[in-house]
Amino acid sequence: MTVFKKLQKARYELSRVSMKKSGRNGYAEFDYFELGDFLPTVHNVFGEVGLCGVFSFDQDDKGKEWCRLRIVDVDDPAIFVDFNSPVVYAQMSKANPIQVLGATHTYMRRYMWLVALELTENDQVDALDRSSFKQQAKPVPAKTKPEQHELQNEPPIASPVESIDESTPKIDAPSSELFVEVMVKFGEVCESEQKLAQLWKVNQKSIDDLQKNDEQLFNNLKSMFGEFRTMLKEKSNGI
Amino acid sequence: MKVTNKFGVPETLEALANRQFYSKGKSDYSVTEIMSPPRIQRLRARHHEEIESDVADMLWSLLGSALHVVAERSEVPGHINEERLYIEVDGVTLSGQIDLQKIDGNEVEIVDYKFTSAWALRQDKIDWAQQQNIYGWLVHKIKGLNVRKLSICALVRDWSRREAQRNPDYPQAPIQMIEINLWDMAFTEVFVRDRIRQHRDAKVSADWEDELPDCTEEERWVRDTKYALMKKDRKSALKLFDSAKEAEDLLSTLDDKHYIEVRRGEPIRCVNNFCGVNQWCSQFKQYQQELSNDSL
């Protein structure tokens, strides 16, 4: 039997076994397979058909990290099927580097096994879309003081960086007066202070030029935005 | 910035001090800028015209500039001196001027020159690691080269031959090469984006006249409070403790000639005005207020 036939047989056997997804993503509201949910069954089926999975990490010539799940035919170890994926590190704001590494390994192993065995899960992109919808309704406060890293040897811990909403308009106006007018128009319709700040940030370069060249106009813009902020604060306080 | 000349140094040096050597080119932020605390950056920008510095205090910064000018003239095959690189990150332009890139095939070693003291050389320099890793990331992103090594060429300004002979832990030569550990590129990118975000947020706060984000304890170089076990008629401590309890436990086993002296930790950078803006800093004023309340 070829290695492909063995693998296909293993996939078929696994599809007939009912396995419980014990992982729960409460934020995006979906269940997922944890390694412990399927690995014992996989080892059992692999033992029967004569396959063995070997998981490893590697680097290419450019230093890019890859992980590989090699499914080896135990009757002829020179015959195997490789499943490869680039490595993406887990982002955990409060974890130390070794925890990040451990989480990355667990995630990558899980995904690689799911791919190799064609185990089905809910569409996580859909799930994430739902979660980002929720996030808009209730913004998560931005972290203002990320941890400092005490040792030279220790890299910074990957933490999510708030990205600016791409729909925030960058205004390119032919005159300072028009720029201020358009800024005010967009500022008026901002639904939150966060959006107002994003509008300011995206147009920071033009605002700096305005401050340098026309302080009066800059002050007018600043005071208009001050009023918008007061209104948004009152609105959020139910006044 | 107003440059004063309190010690009557030659006008030639005074004129040099008045020249603006530092430039971030046509970028919104420089690597040096994003590495420093957002509060300090904003206060410096706001009070730029009022900040005073004496020529005598600018000696090392002048010599640093001189070294860069001299290094720029050196020509070694495969070496690139003093190159400024630019990159777009989240809609802003970040630039970094790299002292030396030693290129070998598709690999690069990045070197930065630093004037430093023998004492500082033996401390953990997280800011050196951050800066060099950002430079490494810049070179990797822009030139596609693999960063083989990051290092600092430290020029020890107070080096003593005698101390080097006496103490094997002391730098054995006035120039030391220090290797910096390479971070993962993905981590470095997150770090860069986070620093830029902090600075952009601080800029909005400054424009809107909101309170600026506080400097962290690390950024203020806060020295921890220590508890010194003292003995009457003796000036120095018998032992220093990090916690009051540890000190008190030992004190309880000793006679009444012993006592505990609390050596309150202080933000060294603020207290000594190493940031140059403490007189305009509300965080420093609050610290002073708390200090005076404690002493009442």
Side-chain angles (χ1 to χ4, degrees):
Chain A
M1 201 189 293
T2 66
V3 69
F4 290 106
K5 203 159 185 179
K6 286 183 176 180
L7 180 59
Q8 196 52 38
K9 186 168 168 49
R11 284 173 176 171
Y12 173 71
E13 293 298 331
L14 285 165
S15 70
R16 294 170 58 194
V17 181
S18 164
M19 286 183 288
K20 191 178 175 299
K21 291 173 181 172
S22 61
R24 173 79 185 156
N25 186 326
Y27 187 65
E29 293 177 0
F30 65 89
D31 296 327
Y32 59 87
F33 281 123
E34 288 186 342
L35 280 170
D37 296 334
F38 59 84
L39 271 188
T41 318
V42 170
H43 290 324
N44 201 12
V45 173
F46 267 34
E48 282 171 16
V49 299
L51 290 175
C52 174
V54 182
F55 186 80
S56 62
F57 283 90
D58 204 355
Q59 262 188 0
D60 67 14
D61 295 344
K62 289 182 178 170
K64 193 176 169 78
E65 282 187 275
W66 287 84
C67 67
R68 180 174 64 202
L69 177 61
R70 175 166 287 182
I71 309 290
V72 184
D73 185 340
V74 292
D75 300 318
D76 184 357
I79 308 290
F80 51 79
V81 184
D82 278 347
F83 294 88
N84 298 308
S85 165
V87 174
V88 178
Y89 277 84
Q91 296 196 343
M92 301 157 78
S93 58
K94 294 267 165 77
N96 63 39
I98 194 71
Q99 287 171 320
V100 171
L101 186 69
T104 302
H105 281 205
T106 308
Y107 266 80
M108 294 311 300
R109 280 177 67 205
R110 196 169 74 83
Y111 286 126
M112 294 308 285
W113 276 110
L114 292 178
V115 170
L117 301 169
E118 300 209 316
L119 292 173
T120 52
E121 283 203 317
N122 293 332
D123 191 328
Q124 295 188 15
V125 177
D126 282 351
L128 286 175
D129 276 355
R130 243 181 326 139
S131 71
S132 63
F133 209 75
K134 270 185 165 182
Q135 208 166 358
Q136 278 185 357
K138 192 181 175 186
V140 177
K143 198 170 135 193
T144 52
K145 286 184 185 174
E147 292 85 356
Q148 288 289 310
H149 315 290
E150 290 170 4
L151 295 174
Q152 168 183 317
N153 293 349
E154 201 176 322
I157 293 163
S159 59
V161 179
E162 174 211 24
S163 56
I164 289 177
D165 184 351
E166 283 180 11
S167 63
T168 309
K170 189 168 183 179
I171 299 154
D172 186 13
S175 70
S176 303
E177 288 77 9
L178 199 58
F179 171 74
V180 172
E181 202 180 314
V182 179
M183 276 291 283
V184 169
K185 289 271 180 230
F186 278 111
E188 260 175 339
V189 293
C190 279
E191 293 156 354
S192 65
E193 272 195 271
Q194 196 188 2
K195 296 245 175 202
L196 207 59
Q198 284 201 355
L199 177 64
W200 194 275
K201 256 190 260 184
V202 166
N203 292 284
Q204 187 76 64
K205 213 178 279 185
S206 305
I207 292 168
D208 289 347
D209 288 342
L210 182 71
Q211 187 175 19
K212 212 184 294 172
N213 303 324
D214 195 333
E215 208 174 342
Q216 182 57 49
L217 214 48
F218 169 78
N219 286 333
N220 291 347
L221 179 67
K222 196 168 80 177
S223 96
M224 285 306 289
F225 269 64
E227 284 177 26
F228 297 150
R229 288 176 74 200
T230 311
M231 282 192 287
L232 287 165
K233 266 193 196 116
E234 286 172 355
K235 198 173 144 191
S236 71
N237 291 334
I239 300 169
Chain B
M1 185 170 68
K2 289 180 206 163
V3 177
T4 57
N5 187 358
K6 292 176 186 162
F7 298 92
V9 303
E11 285 80 359
T12 325
L13 282 182
E14 193 182 340
L16 274 176
N18 269 303
R19 264 182 67 181
Q20 189 71 25
F21 282 104
Y22 175 75
S23 157
K24 59 179 175 184
K26 287 177 183 172
S27 61
D28 301 306
Y29 294 97
S30 70
V31 171
T32 320
E33 212 173 341
I34 64 163
M35 296 266 308
S36 70
R39 169 176 279 263
I40 294 180
Q41 278 300 317
R42 286 299 112 220
L43 289 175
R44 280 182 189 160
R46 192 183 286 169
H47 300 283
H48 184 257
E49 299 299 322
E50 302 155 80
I51 296 171
E52 270 191 17
S53 190
D54 196 74
V55 191
D57 295 327
M58 296 169 76
L59 169 70
W60 294 107
S61 123
L62 279 170
L63 281 178
S65 304
L67 176 72
H68 292 289
V69 173
V70 173
E72 213 167 342
R73 293 181 189 164
S74 164
E75 283 180 19
V76 177
H79 285 202
I80 300 173
N81 295 304
E82 305 292 335
E83 186 182 22
R84 184 167 286 280
L85 298 176
Y86 296 84
I87 193 167
E88 284 288 319
V89 185
D90 293 336
V92 296
T93 311
L94 173 73
S95 79
Q97 177 139 337
I98 300 164
D99 289 352
L100 173 60
Q101 296 163 71
K102 293 159 79 171
I103 297 173
D104 182 9
N106 71 337
E107 293 194 329
V108 62
E109 177 187 343
I110 294 166
V111 183
D112 200 62
Y113 302 112
K114 299 264 185 225
F115 276 103
T116 186
S117 69
W119 176 83
L121 197 60
R122 285 176 289 172
Q123 309 304 307
D124 265 332
K125 300 288 282 182
I126 182 68
D127 47 338
W128 288 1
Q130 291 172 346
Q131 187 193 37
Q132 282 296 80
N133 273 286
I134 297 177
Y135 286 156
W137 172 80
L138 263 178
V139 173
H140 178 73
K141 288 287 269 193
I142 294 165
K143 301 187 175 183
L145 297 171
N146 291 329
V147 182
R148 186 172 56 83
K149 194 174 172 186
L150 299 172
S151 45
I152 297 283
C153 177
L155 302 139
V156 190
R157 57 193 186 208
D158 56 351
W159 187 76
S160 148
R161 187 178 298 278
R162 200 167 162 181
E163 190 58 24
Q165 283 165 350
R166 203 184 62 79
N167 180 3
D169 292 334
Y170 187 85
Q172 294 298 299
I175 297 186
Q176 296 283 308
M177 289 305 294
I178 298 155
E179 192 167 337
I180 301 288
N181 278 14
L182 261 167
W183 293 347
D184 181 277
M185 288 294 167
F187 280 124
T188 312
E189 183 160 332
V190 171
F191 179 73
V192 169
R193 292 181 59 207
D194 191 50
R195 292 303 305 177
I196 290 177
R197 180 192 60 76
Q198 287 185 41
H199 280 269
R200 293 179 83 178
D201 286 351
K203 180 82 174 74
V204 176
S205 299
D207 284 351
W208 290 0
E209 293 177 30
D210 285 349
E211 190 56 50
L212 293 170
D214 278 349
C215 286
T216 63
E217 292 208 344
E218 289 82 2
E219 288 168 341
R220 299 166 77 206
W221 306 343
V222 172
R223 194 167 57 193
D224 292 340
T225 298
K226 297 279 179 193
Y227 303 86
L229 179 65
M230 306 294 291
K231 192 174 179 182
K232 279 170 194 163
D233 304 325
R234 188 186 151 123
K235 280 183 186 170
S236 59
L238 292 171
K239 196 168 179 187
L240 280 177
F241 293 92
D242 292 333
S243 79
K245 188 180 179 311
E246 277 179 284
E248 279 159 9
D249 284 351
L250 185 59
L251 181 70
S252 64
T253 65
L254 302 168
D255 62 33
D256 60 1
K257 284 183 186 158
H258 294 82
Y259 62 99
I260 291 168
E261 183 182 282
V262 179
R263 295 182 182 170
R264 193 189 155 99
E266 55 178 16
I268 307 290
R269 191 182 208 167
C270 317
V271 170
N272 296 292
N273 198 22
F274 288 130
C275 58
V277 287
N278 74 358
Q279 58 181 304
W280 300 288
C281 178
S282 58
Q283 193 180 6
F284 180 59
K285 283 181 183 146
Q286 193 187 337
Y287 163 77
Q288 286 179 310
Q289 184 63 50
E290 284 167 7
L291 201 65
S292 69
N293 291 347
D294 282 358
S295 60
L296 287 175

